[in-house]
Amino acid sequence: MLPVHQRQFLNGIPLPSSRKTLRLREKYIIILVFVTFGTFCFGAFFFLPDLRDRMSVDEMRRQFRDAGNEMFIPKARDSDIVFENGKLIGKVIKHDVDAIDHHDIEDKFKILKKVEEAKEQERMLEAIRNRLNMSKGHHETIRKEIQLEKNIVLEKKKQEIEERKKKQIEQHLKEVTEHDGGPGVQGGQPVDVETQKRREKVKEMMKHAWDNYVKYAWGANELKPISRRGHTASIFGNTAFGASIVDGLDTLYLMGLMEDYKKGRDWIAASLNFQGKSDISVFEVNIRFIGGMLSCYAMTGDKMYKDKAIMIADKLLPAFNTPTGIPYAMVNLNSGSGRNWGWASGGCSILAEYGTLHLEFAYLTQVTGNPIYLKKVLRIREVLKQLDKPFGLYPNYLNPKTGKWGQQHFSVGALGDSFYEYLLKAWLLSGKTDNEARAMYDSAVAGIEQKLLHTSRGGLRYMAEVKSGRVEHKMDHLGCFSGGMLALGAAGSSDPQKYLQLGADLAHTCHEAYTRTRAGLGPESFRFEGGEEAKAVRQNEKYYILRPEVIETWFYMWRLTKDQKYRDWGWEAVQGMEKHCRTEGGYSGIRDVYQVTPPKDDVQQSFFLAETLKYLYLLFSDDSLLPLDKWVINTEAHPFPINRVNLTKTR
């Protein structure tokens, strides 16, 4: 180890001295530290606040919260700003600080007040939003209630408008009437709800048929519902005479469809004139046009209808200019010349045609006082009375020139049907005073029972045909009217119960012809041969053209027996029509009732409006509508009033 004096420097760097002695500079530093510490303790003891007065954390938070307000307005001694229920209502004047700028305070106060007002508005908006949110769940209910109220008001307005229209129509019609109209021509509301619904459905069917005719074929004779255009059959010649308007008018009136009725009435008044060069069917024009006009006159008293009936009847009178007085089937509107159908047994007139004029012509004489019309039909009766009747029956063909029978063909269906009907109804129309007509009817019915009435192996009773001595076991849909005729004629017969039961038997047979098809509608004719009963076997017999005769019989049977099955059968027929005959453009006949989906013939027959729908409506109505002791219904379902007037003598 080196000596001390040699260890002071090593490589030129001084070495630390010994730790046993302190240098003077180090001593000064230690003394300064102690002095500083003593001074700090002395100051802390005398100058720092008493720790007992220290603030809590919550107080510090309040201090920070209120700092913002004190930036605008210094704190008053008590409270220079006054609040009540959370709302700013005023301020004090006295402040601790005298140097406060009062204008500045006022501005700040306004700002704060606006802030409070904004908050109040926000609270109000929030309340509104809450109320809206509370009612949101009820919004749909409220909307429905409003719509319901709106619908009630609209329906009330609609009813008021309809009522005004009805009153206007009634007022107009009253001004042109000659009498008050017949009894029981409107109303007839049934008691039970189910029947009411059925009746309303038939009314809706009438509206559908009529509205589409108006839309697509107005003024034409008939409607083609699929083609949606007018249709004119050969029975009307080649001229549009509005047959559907005339045929359907009294049905509209019975149903209370007054606005539609008024439209049809006005068209007839302005446009129906029977001008042209057409050959027209005397029979069809009589039962549809003259019958339709006289029916509307009887129901309403409107003189216009009577005038039109006279005009049309006068157009038909030349057809009676034959050696025998038996009219031709056709007459030319321009020349007045008459002729018969070329296929009608060597130029003969047809029993069902010349024998179905009596009701209309007799009633026309009654309402006009002109004897010419009654004379014409009484002449027909006189000729028939003088002729021999084979088997007590009337052959379907008669030569108007020679007065001799043609082919020995007997039927209560096509070619013969309504002749027998008019014998009975002439007696009823006269108030049962036309005993001659009743005697001819009873005699004819006896012949029918003997030669035409048969019973099948299955127990079905039906009306056959006889041609040249040979029985053809075929019954026409047209012949199904006979059940109603026999039941209607039971009163006044030698055996009322017998004929009422016979009417029921025939009604049942015709119902079987309906139920044995897939369409639920009856064929044009049906046979009882070769193991078949009440079924069409030939293709040209399978069609249905909206015919009414079956429903006609059910209507009479209902009125006379009150057996519910007749109404039920009628409803079955309605369902069949709706399923197979209804189209968007009206109602059409079908070509094969035995097919699941039968093709349509595209013709809405005028008699569908006149007869089929009218009989259905009457079937579902109370007896007070067209009571049978007040009205007689012609073969086209146009009603005439019963009067105790002798209709066998002219004035």
Side-chain angles (χ1 to χ4, degrees):
M1 177 178 294
L2 295 175
V4 172
H5 67 273
Q6 293 180 345
R7 288 190 278 114
Q8 292 180 346
F9 293 92
L10 181 63
N11 298 328
I13 301 174
L15 295 172
S17 60
S18 175
R19 295 181 181 272
K20 294 181 178 181
T21 60
L22 295 173
R23 295 178 182 178
L24 182 61
R25 187 178 57 184
E26 293 174 343
K27 293 177 181 180
Y28 287 147
I29 292 171
I30 293 171
I31 293 170
L32 182 61
V33 168
F34 279 108
V35 171
T36 303
F37 178 78
T39 304
F40 175 81
C41 291
F42 180 82
F45 180 82
F46 287 100
F47 296 102
L48 287 179
D50 191 350
L51 293 178
R52 291 174 298 180
D53 297 331
R54 66 184 181 275
M55 289 188 295
S56 67
V57 175
D58 289 339
E59 288 174 333
M60 293 177 66
R61 288 177 180 171
R62 282 195 297 272
Q63 289 288 338
F64 282 115
R65 183 191 65 191
D66 295 338
N69 290 338
E70 293 186 9
M71 290 177 64
F72 292 101
I73 303 174
K75 186 175 181 181
R77 214 173 356 251
D78 295 319
S79 179
D80 68 10
I81 298 177
V82 182
F83 291 87
E84 182 177 331
N85 296 328
K87 295 184 179 180
L88 179 65
I89 61 173
K91 61 187 177 68
V92 298
I93 300 174
K94 232 171 173 183
H95 294 276
D96 285 334
V97 182
D98 294 333
I100 291 175
D101 186 341
H102 291 285
H103 292 291
D104 184 54
I105 292 175
E106 184 71 21
D107 291 341
K108 292 177 180 178
F109 174 76
K110 289 180 179 179
I111 293 172
L112 187 58
K113 189 171 184 179
K114 288 181 179 179
V115 170
E116 292 298 328
E117 289 175 350
K119 289 182 178 179
E120 179 64 19
Q121 291 177 357
E122 180 63 27
R123 284 192 292 270
M124 291 175 64
L125 290 174
E126 183 64 23
I128 293 172
R129 282 193 293 268
N130 289 338
R131 288 176 64 186
L132 289 174
N133 289 334
M134 289 176 63
S135 64
K136 189 175 181 180
H138 304 288
H139 177 71
E140 184 64 20
T141 302
I142 295 172
R143 187 190 68 79
K144 289 181 178 180
E145 290 177 353
I146 293 173
Q147 186 62 43
L148 179 61
E149 291 291 332
K150 189 176 180 180
N151 290 341
I152 292 173
V153 172
L154 291 175
E155 183 63 25
K156 186 176 180 180
K157 286 287 186 184
K158 182 179 177 181
Q159 291 176 356
E160 290 175 355
I161 292 171
E162 290 179 351
E163 189 64 28
R164 284 198 300 270
K165 285 183 178 180
K166 186 175 181 180
K167 288 181 179 179
Q168 290 172 356
I169 293 171
E170 290 174 351
Q171 180 61 32
H172 171 73
L173 296 177
K174 187 176 180 181
E175 293 172 357
V176 296
T177 56
E178 288 190 336
H179 60 82
D180 294 334
V185 293
Q186 284 186 338
Q189 178 82 342
V191 176
D192 62 293
V193 176
E194 184 64 24
T195 307
Q196 290 176 15
K197 292 179 180 178
R198 292 177 175 184
R199 189 171 94 141
E200 283 303 307
K201 176 57 183 177
V202 175
K203 188 174 181 178
E204 184 276 330
M205 293 170 70
M206 181 65 182
K207 274 291 291 177
H208 182 67
W210 174 263
D211 288 346
N212 279 286
Y213 169 78
V214 171
K215 185 175 182 179
Y216 300 114
W218 185 245
N221 289 319
E222 292 170 327
L223 166 68
K224 295 178 75 67
I226 299 173
S227 304
R228 300 189 181 184
R229 58 187 175 88
H231 171 68
T232 296
S234 60
I235 58 175
F236 306 113
N238 55 11
T239 305
F241 294 126
S244 291
I245 300 174
V246 178
D247 246 356
L249 205 60
D250 57 3
T251 305
L252 293 170
Y253 192 86
L254 286 168
M255 292 181 175
L257 298 171
M258 299 306 294
E259 190 172 349
D260 297 310
Y261 165 80
K262 177 64 165 50
K263 182 178 181 66
R265 187 261 177 207
D266 290 347
W267 183 90
I268 291 171
S271 303
L272 185 62
N273 53 35
F274 265 76
Q275 300 296 324
K277 299 180 180 180
S278 298
D279 286 350
I280 58 174
S281 166
V282 174
F283 164 72
E284 296 289 357
V285 168
N286 176 63
I287 65 172
R288 302 188 197 213
F289 288 86
I290 299 177
M293 295 297 96
L294 291 176
S295 174
C296 287
Y297 174 72
M299 291 195 300
T300 69
D302 191 336
K303 182 177 179 294
M304 182 273 294
Y305 295 120
K306 182 176 73 173
D307 293 340
K308 292 292 183 179
I310 294 170
M311 178 267 291
I312 299 170
D314 289 347
K315 294 284 186 179
L316 301 185
L317 289 179
F320 292 85
N321 295 332
T322 66
T324 61
I326 300 296
Y328 289 115
M330 309 283 287
V331 66
N332 185 274
L333 288 173
N334 188 41
S335 65
S337 60
R339 65 180 178 88
N340 280 329
W341 303 104
W343 48 264
S345 184
C348 286
S349 297
I350 299 170
L351 179 67
E353 294 190 340
Y354 67 78
T356 311
L357 302 170
H358 196 100
L359 294 188
E360 295 78 10
F361 275 61
Y363 184 57
L364 190 55
T365 285
Q366 181 182 327
V367 298
T368 64
N370 187 345
I372 186 64
Y373 310 110
L374 182 57
K375 283 183 178 179
K376 295 297 184 183
V377 292
L378 288 179
R379 174 58 186 168
I380 296 172
R381 183 183 292 183
E382 183 181 345
V383 171
L384 294 178
K385 283 173 58 182
Q386 294 173 354
L387 293 173
D388 291 332
K389 269 71 74 179
F391 316 109
L393 296 173
Y394 295 81
N396 290 339
Y397 300 103
L398 178 63
N399 192 304
K401 295 180 179 179
T402 64
K404 294 184 178 181
W405 299 117
Q407 180 184 358
Q408 298 291 287
H409 181 196
F410 308 94
S411 171
V412 294
L415 307 180
D417 50 5
S418 50
F419 164 73
Y420 302 101
E421 175 187 359
Y422 268 39
L423 290 177
L424 173 65
K425 291 182 176 179
W427 175 68
L428 293 171
L429 183 66
S430 69
K432 302 181 180 179
T433 62
D434 187 353
N435 295 321
E436 184 175 69
R438 178 75 209 207
M440 293 176 68
Y441 169 78
D442 289 336
S443 177
V445 168
I448 290 170
E449 288 184 86
Q450 181 183 355
K451 288 294 183 181
L452 303 181
L453 181 62
H454 293 265
T455 302
S456 72
R457 293 178 181 177
L460 298 178
R461 307 188 80 181
Y462 62 94
M463 294 290 188
E465 297 183 13
V466 174
K467 293 182 178 179
S468 301
R470 182 180 62 86
V471 177
E472 185 175 10
H473 295 276
K474 179 193 76 167
M475 185 172 182
D476 292 336
H477 193 290
L478 288 166
C480 283
F481 90 96
S482 60
M485 177 189 73
L486 292 167
L488 187 62
S493 69
S494 58
D495 191 345
Q497 188 56 42
K498 168 187 173 182
Y499 290 107
L500 189 62
Q501 183 59 51
L502 179 54
D505 292 343
L506 293 171
H508 171 69
T509 297
C510 293
H511 178 249
E512 286 298 306
Y514 270 53
T515 59
R516 298 181 187 195
T517 69
R518 291 186 174 180
L521 300 168
E524 180 68 5
S525 59
F526 44 93
R527 295 178 180 267
F528 300 84
E529 57 186 29
E532 297 288 357
E533 291 191 354
K535 187 174 181 180
V537 297
R538 302 177 184 179
Q539 190 59 43
N540 64 355
E541 298 173 344
K542 296 181 179 180
Y543 61 88
Y544 171 73
I545 57 172
L546 308 171
R547 287 203 184 276
E549 291 79 17
V550 174
I551 297 167
E552 175 184 353
T553 280
W554 295 343
F555 158 68
Y556 282 116
M557 294 307 303
W558 162 254
R559 283 285 180 96
L560 297 170
T561 69
K562 292 297 181 290
D563 190 331
Q564 178 62 30
K565 69 182 179 184
Y566 297 114
R567 278 182 164 173
D568 294 339
W569 291 352
W571 185 242
E572 291 172 5
V574 167
Q575 293 173 304
M577 293 175 200
E578 287 295 282
K579 182 176 181 180
H580 299 289
C581 301
R582 186 176 181 125
T583 72
E584 291 184 3
Y587 289 87
S588 169
I590 55 179
R591 300 186 185 279
D592 191 338
V593 295
Y594 299 101
Q595 291 188 18
V596 175
T597 307
K600 297 177 174 60
D601 66 13
D602 196 20
V603 178
Q604 180 176 282
Q605 304 281 348
S606 78
F607 56 67
F608 179 66
L609 284 70
E611 301 184 73
T612 309
L613 294 177
K614 184 185 281 121
Y615 281 126
L616 282 169
Y617 190 75
L618 291 172
L619 178 62
F620 300 129
S621 296
D622 185 75
D623 292 3
S624 61
L625 184 63
L626 287 188
L628 297 181
D629 61 340
K630 298 289 193 300
W631 296 89
V632 172
I633 303 174
N634 88 338
T635 197
E636 190 75 5
H638 297 305
F640 298 156
I642 292 174
N643 292 289
R644 287 192 169 276
V645 178
N646 190 335
L647 297 178
T648 60
K649 295 181 180 180
T650 58
R651 298 180 183 179

